[in-house]
Amino acid sequence: MSKPRAIIELLATQFSGEFEQTIQRSEKLRQLWHRLRRKLDADLASHCQLQNLRDGMLIIACDSTAWATRLRYQIPTLLEAMHHIMGHEGIHDIQIRVQPVSQKTQQQSARATLSSHGAHCLKQCADTISDPALRQALEQLAKRQCNSGES
C-alpha cells in the first residue's frame, strides 16, 4: 500500500492552467506562512492566519483585537524576515485584520459536511481522472456524504 498523499498533491498533477496556478499560489502561501509562524511565539501564531498576499501587502487575520495588537508589535520583525525570505521585491507592508471565530464556526470546522450535489460533482470528477490514487481519494470523499446520512 502506498503512503497517503495530500489531495493537493494529487490535484496538482491532474490539472493545468488557471486551476494549476491557484494550487501553486496556495502552496506558496502555505509555505510562506509556515516560515513566518516560526518567527512568532506559539500562542500568538495559533490565533493568527495568513489570508492573502496582494501587491506586496501581506494580510493576516487574528481572532481577537488583543492578538491583533500583539501581532502589530511584531510587524517590524516579520517584515525583516520577509526581506530575508523573498528579498526586497517581496512584501513592503503587513495588514492585520480581526476576524473573531464564533463557537458555531469552531464546531463546524471540526467535521466538514458535503452536500449531495458536492458528492455528485466529486463522483463525476473521479470518473474522468486517470490517476488511480486521485480517483480513489475523490471517490472516498464523495462517499462521506452518503455515510453522513444527508440527501
Side-chain angles (χ1 to χ4, degrees):
M1 182 172 198
S2 65
K3 177 184 167 206
R5 295 188 300 174
I7 194 148
I8 196 160
E9 291 176 27
L10 298 170
L11 289 173
T13 62
Q14 293 295 315
F15 298 97
S16 61
E18 194 173 311
F19 189 69
E20 180 182 30
Q21 291 173 353
T22 302
I23 290 172
Q24 289 173 353
R25 178 172 165 71
S26 173
E27 181 59 21
K28 285 179 184 177
L29 286 174
R30 188 192 66 75
Q31 290 174 1
L32 176 64
W33 183 237
H34 177 74
R35 293 176 80 178
L36 282 177
R37 283 181 66 122
R38 289 187 277 170
K39 303 293 182 190
L40 302 172
D41 70 61
D43 285 342
L44 177 57
S46 69
H47 292 274
C48 303
Q49 181 62 47
L50 177 64
Q51 287 193 324
N52 202 357
L53 172 59
R54 184 178 342 138
D55 300 326
M57 169 93 60
L58 191 67
I59 302 169
I60 302 174
C62 296
D63 57 20
S64 75
T65 55
W67 292 112
T69 300
R70 283 187 63 185
L71 184 60
R72 281 186 184 93
Y73 287 116
Q74 299 296 315
I75 287 177
T77 304
L78 293 177
L79 285 173
E80 184 178 325
M82 292 308 306
H83 288 293
H84 289 359
I85 294 169
M86 299 178 72
H88 293 287
E89 299 161 9
I91 296 168
H92 58 79
D93 200 8
I94 296 176
Q95 181 182 56
I96 299 172
R97 297 180 179 173
V98 177
Q99 285 189 321
V101 179
S102 69
Q103 287 183 341
K104 185 176 182 180
T105 304
Q106 289 174 340
Q107 291 170 351
Q108 288 174 345
S109 66
R111 177 72 174 161
T113 58
L114 180 65
S115 69
S116 58
H117 177 70
H120 177 73
C121 289
L122 282 174
K123 180 66 176 126
Q124 281 184 324
C125 184
D127 292 342
T128 65
I129 301 295
S130 59
D131 183 299
L134 178 56
R135 178 189 297 255
Q136 182 182 10
L138 291 173
E139 288 172 346
Q140 287 176 343
L141 283 174
K143 287 179 185 177
R144 282 190 175 182
Q145 191 280 327
C146 298
N147 295 337
S148 69
E150 294 180 12
S151 314

